[in-house]
Amino acid sequence: MGLPPEARKFSPHVTLARLHKPMVDKLSGFLAAQAQFRADPLPVEGFSLIASFQTKAGSVYEEQADYPLLY
């Protein structure tokens, strides 16, 4: 696209949950109990790219783009 790459480190990832002050002992037990959980396939018709910005009041999320998946 003709833009120089950003110098800052980028780690693409998917956030499934964000916990504020989790109770680690309870969380560990829950995760261990749910380790065998399996869900049926879920049809996905598209996805969105979301940016998150950390503020003193908490995270702010901003949708950047939508990507429909064509079959």
Side-chain angles (χ1 to χ4, degrees), residues 18-70:
R18 186 181 303 262
L19 304 173
H20 181 69
K21 298 182 182 178
M23 292 182 254
V24 177
D25 55 333
K26 289 186 178 184
L27 180 59
S28 298
F30 175 81
L31 293 174
Q34 303 302 318
Q36 298 302 315
F37 173 77
R38 297 294 180 265
D40 290 334
L42 175 71
V44 176
E45 297 176 354
F47 64 95
S48 299
L49 177 65
I50 308 289
S52 65
F53 304 95
Q54 304 300 315
T55 70
K56 291 180 181 178
S59 298
V60 174
Y61 301 96
E62 184 178 290
E63 189 170 313
Q64 303 293 304
D66 290 319
Y67 299 95
L69 299 175
L70 306 176

